[in-house]
Amino acid sequence: MTDRRPYIGGNWKMNTNRETAATLTRDVVEAIGDRASRVDVAVFPPFPYLLTVGAVLRERNSPITLGAQDLWLNPDGAFTGEVSAEMLEDCGVRPVLAGHSERRQVIGEADELVNLKVRRTLEAGLDCVLCVGETLEQRDAGETDKVNERQVRAGLAEVTPAQMPRVVIAYEPVWAIGTGKTATPDDAQDAHAKIRSVLTDLYGQHLADATRIIYGGSMKPGNAAELIAQPDIDGGLIGGASLKGADFGQIVAAAAG
Ligand code: 13P
């Protein structure tokens, strides 16, 4: 076992509206109760609802952290449609996702851009959740570890040891996202252990041991405990099940032990 503090993130993706974002936040706060004292919990609403969600969290005095799903590299200027780290910070955001598979696969973000976003996030003083994971094709071709290693090394290029305590790695096998298919605890543990060994190579044992590596891909109340019980699985990044306060609360409860 480890003394890494569990981390559970709710990635709301492009879901909710002004009203349901507020309701869901209240439900999440209620469902989690005082468990946030044992688990780092973050929610990642769509940009337009950051202030709404942040206001509810503040009003409830909640330790849940407000996160963002993406950012752009410049502080301000002529970048139509983009949002900067400074703007996010101004809205009360701490962690920012980078390299989510939907941005890699749907929007076409490559490792180099993901790395620039990771570095920008950290340079701006924010925390980063770097997402990696193989597609079904890559898995079938036996390339899972190779893909994860490439995405971790590329994503963390030029990230300094001093910045690493603000980094969480999310292993999200693309074939498990939104499909109801989950990696078996053994397969997920194996991938996490390999990712940790890449971190050891990059940053040494101490930092690798201290870095949270969380699992994402159809994590639900029914499978969370078994996944999180694995020695190298330090929590989860939850999509679908984070849109129901009670389900998300149960996953946090599983992480709280
Ligand atoms: P699901 O939990 O819906 O599979 O999504 C996982 C995910 O992509 C979290 O970032």
Side-chain angles (χ1 to χ4, degrees):
M1 286 307 289
T2 73
D3 54 5
R4 288 183 290 273
R5 188 176 158 87
Y7 188 107
I8 300 287
N11 176 8
W12 294 2
K13 306 192 180 182
M14 201 174 72
N15 293 297
T16 67
N17 58 33
R18 201 145 50 100
E19 192 184 325
T20 59
T23 313
L24 177 56
T25 310
R26 286 189 201 102
D27 291 350
V28 164
V29 169
E30 193 152 313
I32 287 173
D34 66 0
R35 291 193 194 91
S37 61
R38 278 168 283 155
V39 181
D40 285 344
V41 182
V43 290
F44 298 82
F47 288 142
Y49 310 129
L50 284 171
L51 291 176
T52 303
V53 172
V56 175
L57 293 176
R58 263 199 318 281
E59 167 197 305
R60 302 282 158 129
N61 229 345
S62 172
I64 297 172
T65 313
L66 182 66
Q69 298 175 18
D70 190 29
L71 55 57
W72 186 245
L73 308 174
N74 305 72
D76 49 39
F79 301 96
T80 302
E82 296 297 340
V83 172
S84 70
E86 285 72 8
M87 293 170 177
L88 295 176
E89 195 175 13
D90 193 29
C91 293
V93 164
R94 285 297 309 170
V96 184
L97 304 182
H100 191 280
S101 74
E102 283 140 24
R103 298 209 60 84
R104 294 181 191 262
Q105 309 284 320
V106 183
I107 316 291
E109 289 189 12
D111 280 334
E112 293 67 29
L113 179 56
V114 173
N115 174 245
L116 291 173
K117 290 186 172 185
V118 169
R119 284 157 56 190
R120 177 70 197 124
T121 299
L122 296 169
E123 280 158 17
L126 300 174
D127 303 340
C128 181
V129 180
L130 168 63
C131 308
V132 303
E134 82 286 0
T135 63
L136 185 56
E137 244 178 14
Q138 291 165 332
R139 184 176 196 82
D140 287 346
E143 292 172 353
T144 297
D145 295 331
K146 196 177 90 184
V147 169
N148 287 335
E149 174 162 5
R150 192 200 74 225
Q151 291 183 354
V152 169
R153 285 186 187 276
L156 295 178
E158 291 185 50
V159 170
T160 66
Q163 291 171 324
M164 277 306 285
R166 287 187 287 121
V167 174
V168 170
I169 308 284
Y171 167 59
E172 301 202 290
V174 180
W175 50 271
I177 294 178
T179 59
K181 293 183 190 144
T182 316
T184 65
D186 282 353
D187 282 353
Q189 162 58 26
D190 194 50
H192 282 232
K194 299 259 170 47
I195 289 170
R196 200 174 303 287
S197 71
V198 174
L199 295 178
T200 306
D201 189 45
L202 288 171
Y203 295 103
Q205 194 72 50
H206 180 72
L207 273 180
D209 281 346
T211 303
R212 271 86 58 91
I213 306 176
I214 62 177
Y215 171 84
S218 300
M219 191 185 266
K220 301 197 167 7
N223 59 26
E226 208 187 353
L227 285 158
I228 296 168
Q230 301 301 313
D232 286 290
I233 301 183
D234 306 313
L237 189 56
I238 324 300
S242 73
L243 298 173
K244 291 190 186 127
D247 286 3
F248 191 63
Q250 283 186 50
I251 295 171
V252 172

